[in-house]
Amino acid sequence: MPDFMEFFQVNLINPRVLIGVFIGAMAAFLFCGLTMGAVGRAAASMVEEVRRQFREIKGILDGKATPDYSRCVEISTRSAQREMIFPSFLAIIIPIVVGIVLGVAGVLGLLVGGLAAGFTLAIFMANAGGAWDNAKKMVEEGHFGGKGSECHKATIVGDTVGDPFKDTSGPSLNILIKLMSMVSIVMAGLTVAFI
């Protein structure tokens, strides 16, 4: 291992390693931003569909008519699949480009930066999202003014951010780390060929 590190100059003095670390850390934040935006767009299209059904299907609010549940499930499924194409493409292309441009040292830096930032960001998002969710539940139980209070309105806004944090962006970082690692391993021959 020391010979490998010395041959490819994998140390903190090598600017290729540092650039790779920064790109890996930025990839984690970019990935989270893309998944949060995807949740917002999917939710907006779901709200539009629900409003359409309330307008066009009379009697839903009275319980006399049945909403079109399958359309809502279809919107959710299609949004999830369509919105993850670009983030997945980034997770695949970043290690390839870094390997070609910065070599082995850059890819190792990329993986270190992606793992360090991705892991801490995932833990943060899981904890923060859970805290916002629990804060809303606590207020709804009657604390700090209960339902309908200004505090309850604030916790609803917090929970709107917290749910995608703990249910989408946080867990998806695990996929980003694994995907970048696997692509780096698969493309190792190409990376070494460009030294």
Side-chain angles (χ1 to χ4, degrees), residues 27-80:
F29 285 92
L30 175 63
F31 197 78
C32 286
L34 290 171
T35 55
M36 292 286 286
V39 169
R41 285 187 295 276
S45 60
M46 186 70 70
V47 166
E48 287 302 316
E49 174 61 22
V50 169
R51 286 179 179 162
R52 183 196 65 79
Q53 288 189 25
F54 280 145
R55 272 194 318 270
E56 295 176 7
I57 304 172
K58 303 299 180 196
I60 290 178
L61 292 173
D62 302 330
K64 296 175 184 171
T66 305
D68 185 6
Y69 298 114
S70 62
R71 179 75 184 123
C72 293
V73 171
E74 181 184 342
I75 288 171
S76 180
T77 305
R78 283 194 180 176
S79 294

Side-chain angles (χ1 to χ4, degrees), residues 5-182:
M5 302 294 255
E6 187 179 336
F7 180 79
F8 290 110
Q9 298 177 346
V10 181
N11 54 54
L12 291 177
I13 299 170
N14 188 348
R16 292 173 184 252
V17 174
L18 289 175
I19 292 169
V21 169
F22 289 136
I23 292 171
M26 288 188 293
F29 285 92
L30 175 63
F31 197 78
C32 286
L34 290 171
T35 55
M36 292 286 286
V39 169
R41 285 187 295 276
S45 60
M46 186 70 70
V47 166
E48 287 302 316
E49 174 61 22
V50 169
R51 286 179 179 162
R52 183 196 65 79
Q53 288 189 25
F54 280 145
R55 272 194 318 270
E56 295 176 7
I57 304 172
K58 303 299 180 196
I60 290 178
L61 292 173
D62 302 330
K64 296 175 184 171
T66 305
D68 185 6
Y69 298 114
S70 62
R71 179 75 184 123
C72 293
V73 171
E74 181 184 342
I75 288 171
S76 180
T77 305
R78 283 194 180 176
S79 294
Q81 292 170 341
R82 186 178 59 244
E83 294 285 353
M84 285 311 294
I85 291 172
F86 185 62
S88 302
F89 179 73
L90 276 179
I92 292 169
I93 203 73
I94 288 173
I96 296 172
V97 172
V98 168
I100 291 171
V101 175
L102 300 176
V104 174
V107 172
L108 290 174
L110 172 80
L111 295 177
V112 167
L115 178 63
F119 176 74
T120 53
L121 195 57
I123 298 296
F124 159 73
M125 289 186 149
N127 285 329
W132 275 324
D133 191 34
N134 291 337
K136 187 182 86 163
K137 289 176 184 170
M138 185 175 177
V139 170
E140 287 174 349
E141 289 174 356
H143 302 282
F144 303 107
K147 284 188 176 183
S149 67
E150 287 298 316
C151 189
H152 184 241
K153 292 176 187 174
T155 59
I156 289 172
V157 172
D159 189 47
T160 303
V161 177
D163 280 340
F165 259 43
K166 69 181 176 59
D167 297 332
T168 305
S169 296
S172 69
L173 282 167
N174 183 36
I175 296 164
L176 172 72
I177 294 166
K178 285 182 178 179
L179 195 54
M180 286 199 320
S181 301
M182 290 306 299

